[in-house]
Amino acid sequence: MTGTADMVAGKAETSTSFGPLKQIDAGLLNVGYVEVGPADGPAALLLHGWPYDIHSYADAAPLLAALGYRVIVPYVRGHGTTRFRANDVVRNGQQAVLAVDSLALLDALDIDAAIVAGFDWGARSADIVAALWPERCRGLVSVSGYLIGSQAAGQSPLPPEAELQWWYQYYFATQRGEAGYRKYRRDFSRLIWRLASPKWNFDDATFDRTAAAFENPDHVEIVIYNYRWRLGLADGEAEYAELEKRLAEAPVITVPTITLEGDANGAPHPQPSAYAAKFTGRYSHRTLEGGIGHNLPQEAPEAFAQAVVDVDTH
């Protein structure tokens, strides 16, 4: 591997495209993904959140590829070119399912273990893989730290200012909210971008490139299910009940971990001190300064890529 100290010298050129997408059958899905770097390199699985897509890693992935990593960046279910393989499958967005999707992709690609990294929904999935299947996770990079939750926790009221930050979750709990998101998903997502990253001056082309991923026919159902499940308004599927029971116990994470946070994250997120004890292996936290918001891999790609490399050398 190239020495880590040289990796972040200078700002990476902004990528406009990853190049050709690949498709592969993995579990319930036919997954759209990009792959960069040598096929025999150590694997790094980078997971995006909502309302974002694979282009959150358009600058970080080439940095890692240049250092010899095999970088895999998939569209999560309900986004981009990822599709369900059967029409009668429940469009389920609960937390355990998204993590199982990640494992199925690693299996389909014959990857025994990878560094798993993500933000937002992707950080939660990465945390779950690390917690429940540590043998598949060589290291973890998690933006905003420990995000594993449960329906019971989701039903506990928060102080009013904290509840206000979750306004969209309660909007999605209504039929009006579902209809509103279906009709205005691009406007809605742009608003979330502005609120979650108030100091990120993204341009129209950057947003439009990602917003195309929201035209997936399953997008609205997956998003609505995800947030309703958190509030106990969607039950989840019985086959995942045992996994959710284990996750509700808030399992510790033993694999080498680096957590990241931006100093201008406008989205709901825990303080680092609230989750540090959940990481019982080699662990460190980094808060990035300079107006870095919620979409940290895209706003600070060098720092994100550096964390992936550093957790690999812990």
Side-chain angles (χ1 to χ4, degrees), residues 167-232:
W167 65 272
Y168 54 89
Q169 178 171 251
Y170 304 118
Y171 181 64
F172 287 161
T174 69
Q175 291 305 306
R176 179 187 177 98
E178 180 176 355
Y181 186 60
R182 190 177 301 278
K183 182 175 181 179
Y184 297 111
R185 71 187 77 174
R186 290 175 67 96
D187 293 337
F188 196 102
S189 298
R190 186 187 288 270
L191 174 61
I192 295 294
W193 278 34
R194 293 202 309 266
L195 295 174
S197 299
K199 297 186 178 181
W200 181 33
N201 295 317
F202 59 89
D203 58 21
D204 289 344
T206 298
F207 175 76
D208 290 343
R209 180 180 62 177
T210 286
F214 311 149
E215 297 305 315
N216 183 295
D218 303 306
H219 178 76
V220 174
E221 288 182 81
I222 295 297
V223 172
I224 297 299
Y225 197 116
N226 180 282
Y227 288 102
R228 289 183 180 176
W229 178 86
R230 299 187 197 194
L231 295 176

Side-chain angles (χ1 to χ4, degrees), residues 10-258:
K11 181 170 176 58
E13 292 294 326
T14 299
S15 299
T16 57
S17 175
F18 277 116
L21 278 167
K22 297 183 178 182
Q23 298 288 145
I24 191 169
D25 287 342
L28 298 176
L29 304 172
N30 179 260
V31 177
Y33 69 102
V34 293
E35 180 174 350
V36 294
D40 60 350
L45 179 66
L46 310 184
L47 303 173
H48 72 80
W50 171 87
Y52 305 96
D53 84 328
I54 62 173
H55 292 97
S56 289
Y57 299 105
D59 296 322
L63 291 172
L64 292 168
L67 293 172
Y69 286 90
R70 179 188 181 187
V71 185
I72 310 295
V73 190
Y75 279 113
V76 70
R77 58 170 58 193
H79 294 70
T81 61
T82 292
R83 298 288 189 273
F84 286 89
R85 297 172 63 189
N87 290 330
D88 59 351
V89 174
V90 176
R91 271 45 179 174
N92 184 344
Q94 70 185 97
Q95 64 173 357
V97 168
L98 301 178
V100 169
D101 288 346
S102 298
L103 285 182
L105 178 60
L106 292 179
D107 289 342
L109 294 172
D110 293 322
I111 296 173
D112 292 331
I115 298 168
V116 186
F119 74 105
D120 195 84
W121 289 14
R124 182 173 293 106
S125 294
D127 288 346
I128 292 171
V129 171
L132 298 188
W133 299 281
E135 71 280 3
R136 307 299 301 272
C137 184
R138 294 176 46 238
L140 169 68
V141 175
S142 180
V143 177
S144 298
Y146 190 91
L147 298 179
I148 297 173
S150 69
Q151 287 185 318
Q155 294 181 36
S156 298
L158 301 172
E161 287 190 8
E163 295 281 24
L164 179 61
Q165 290 188 298
W166 286 108
W167 65 272
Y168 54 89
Q169 178 171 251
Y170 304 118
Y171 181 64
F172 287 161
T174 69
Q175 291 305 306
R176 179 187 177 98
E178 180 176 355
Y181 186 60
R182 190 177 301 278
K183 182 175 181 179
Y184 297 111
R185 71 187 77 174
R186 290 175 67 96
D187 293 337
F188 196 102
S189 298
R190 186 187 288 270
L191 174 61
I192 295 294
W193 278 34
R194 293 202 309 266
L195 295 174
S197 299
K199 297 186 178 181
W200 181 33
N201 295 317
F202 59 89
D203 58 21
D204 289 344
T206 298
F207 175 76
D208 290 343
R209 180 180 62 177
T210 286
F214 311 149
E215 297 305 315
N216 183 295
D218 303 306
H219 178 76
V220 174
E221 288 182 81
I222 295 297
V223 172
I224 297 299
Y225 197 116
N226 180 282
Y227 288 102
R228 289 183 180 176
W229 178 86
R230 299 187 197 194
L231 295 176
L233 302 176
D235 291 335
E237 293 180 90
E239 64 187 285
Y240 303 108
E242 182 59 32
L243 291 179
E244 293 294 356
K245 181 179 178 181
R246 294 171 63 190
L247 294 174
E249 297 171 353
V252 298
I253 292 175
T254 60
V255 306
T257 300
I258 294 175

